[in-house]
Amino acid sequence: MSVSLPEAFSLEEFIPGRFEAKHEINVKGKAIPFRSVSEDFVFHSPDGAAEASLFAISYTAETKETSRPVMFLWNGGPGSATSTLHLECFGPWLIETDEKGKPCYGLKENPDCLLDQCDLVFVDPAGVGLSRLLNPEKAEKYYSVDGDARSAAFLIIEWLRRHGRWNSPIYITGESYGTVRACRVIAELGRSPYSESRMVPGIPVQGVALIGWAAGESGQPLVLSMMPAMAATHWYHMEEKPCGQEEFVHAACDFARKELLPALFEGDALPEEEKKRCAEKLREYTGVSQDYFLNTGLQLRSAGDFQKQALPGYTLDLYDARLKTPNHETYRILGGDNVPIQVMNGLLLPRLNIQTNRLYYTGNINVNMLFSMDTEDVGEYKRTHMECLADGMERTPGMRLLFASGLYDLCTHAGNTRYMVSHAGLPRERVSLREYPGGHGVYSTEEGKKAFLSDVRQMLAE
């Protein structure tokens, strides 16, 4: 389906750029000199005309070592920039927060930055961040699952060439839709002539961190896949907690597996008393009323129902269910302000010596509207994103995967990831499945961020 959008207003003049600056950061008591290189990667058509430019911000430690690991990172959307990953988790500097933990205008050094272990490259797709679609007639080429992944893969190859890093182990981090991009990039970089890659470069990926798995649905009933998130959220909002969160979530999932699943299988044949008992247990573990589950046949109609009914008088946030909006106020899924766009343009870009008249867009919904989620045929069928991962792990015996889910994420919920991973046929000894006390971005709490980065460090060390 084609989407027609109004012509955009712009004060920009696109001039490809490369900007460098020197910095220093203290990580784990050690001063690390590093360099930032921020640059355009311009893609051309066969006649030499510019089609699109992907912009990347790189942080590389000052060392002559050419085999140092390098991690490429991107966010989701698909029209979301890496600014969240950049400013809230991985970057050398993080966005300041006020006494309530809300982002505010300022930057502070990140003591958990990974620059002591690897270099970092933050990549934005065309139309987001400082990246641009230069020829609107090429939207279909770049705004599709495979086209988007192909451009990201060739950026990685060109980055290795420009920086002389052919011997560096490659790691990838993707969040939300970025998990889809990660799967398809692995296929694009691969050497199988039957995979999505047409150029078969054969560049291995050593490790992948997948935050908020959005690359497939399990097909199981929503009430089952959302059970970990609903239980964790209900526990968080309880005034009197009966036990620790881990114990509570485990008990809820145990109930779902041993009692709720057989009850759902019975359907209308389930005795009324058993139905009432299960509905009451669901209320106990989710906060949603017994009547709701009696009316729905023990099912959950939507994540939105849980958002609105789990905590009377409030609507819970889709991306971080710790947050709540009183029902007499308007719930805004994107919030009312955008401090990251101010911090990126007003503070970080000048610090990195990025001199351009382009605005760093933290998001662009036009990209989402134009984007095609269809994938290309490979042989006689379309490969799933998980199959791309499995194929990559088969080609690269050392590749490791870290699946990271936030327990308060009602969008890409942990239960779906649990089920998908346990049925994917992946080599389990090289797969880590982790859940953190965070939202869609598992790093939205300090506890979640530290635990997640510790697991990423472990992946880099293996």
Side-chain angles (χ1 to χ4, degrees), residues 43-311:
F43 290 77
H44 299 87
S45 59
D47 62 4
E51 296 181 346
S53 175
L54 270 60
F55 197 86
I57 297 175
S58 309
Y59 300 111
T60 59
E62 293 283 16
T63 175
K64 295 180 179 179
E65 182 185 353
T66 59
S67 60
R68 179 174 159 84
V70 56
M71 178 180 289
F72 295 86
L73 307 96
W74 46 70
N75 211 308
S80 295
T82 55
S83 49
T84 307
L85 286 169
H86 205 148
L87 295 176
E88 295 186 26
C89 187
F90 285 95
W93 305 280
L94 302 180
I95 195 168
E96 288 276 12
T97 53
D98 60 21
E99 63 278 358
K100 295 181 179 179
K102 186 178 180 180
C104 56
Y105 192 72
L107 287 171
K108 59 185 178 183
E109 195 170 278
N110 180 7
D112 299 311
C113 185
L114 301 177
L115 275 171
D116 59 323
Q117 281 187 275
C118 73
D119 294 332
L120 303 166
V121 184
F122 295 87
V123 181
D124 288 318
V128 181
L130 293 177
S131 302
R132 294 294 183 266
L133 180 68
L134 302 175
N135 183 351
E137 294 181 1
K138 297 295 182 177
E140 194 172 321
K141 178 177 179 180
Y142 291 89
Y143 295 159
S144 66
V145 171
D146 292 292
D148 169 83
R150 200 156 293 142
S151 63
F154 275 89
L155 180 146
I156 290 174
I157 294 170
E158 175 63 7
W159 191 95
L160 297 175
R161 187 192 69 80
R162 287 187 190 181
H163 293 260
R165 297 291 293 277
W166 293 105
N167 198 34
S168 288
I170 295 173
Y171 291 82
I172 290 174
T173 291
E175 179 177 348
S176 195
Y177 179 80
T179 62
V180 175
R181 186 177 292 126
C183 296
R184 309 312 283 204
V185 165
I186 289 169
E188 290 293 332
L189 291 176
R191 193 160 173 76
S192 168
Y194 302 106
S195 73
E196 283 76 356
S197 179
R198 304 298 184 264
M199 303 301 289
V200 292
I203 296 176
V205 175
Q206 296 300 320
V208 188
L210 300 158
I211 307 169
W213 175 259
E217 292 292 332
S218 64
Q220 63 177 332
L222 187 62
V223 70
L224 297 177
S225 65
M226 280 196 66
M227 185 58 72
M230 292 192 295
T233 298
H234 181 47
W235 179 91
Y236 178 85
H237 288 289
M238 284 180 178
E239 292 186 5
E240 296 184 10
K241 307 184 191 306
C243 56
Q245 184 184 66
E246 186 175 352
E247 182 182 348
F248 189 79
V249 172
H250 178 78
C253 293
D254 209 39
F255 156 73
R257 182 175 63 256
K258 296 179 180 179
E259 301 177 50
L260 181 57
L261 181 58
L264 292 173
F265 184 83
E266 290 295 326
D268 292 342
L270 186 71
E272 191 64 25
E273 285 305 309
E274 179 62 11
K275 183 178 179 180
K276 289 180 179 178
R277 189 189 70 81
C278 285
E280 175 56 25
K281 294 287 283 187
L282 280 166
R283 183 207 61 78
E284 177 185 331
Y285 287 124
T286 70
V288 178
S289 72
Q290 182 188 38
D291 285 344
Y292 172 89
F293 287 113
L294 288 174
N295 290 333
T296 62
L298 306 180
Q299 298 278 5
L300 179 70
R301 293 194 187 98
S302 67
D305 276 6
F306 177 75
Q307 284 180 266
K308 295 172 183 175
Q309 301 199 38
L311 191 62

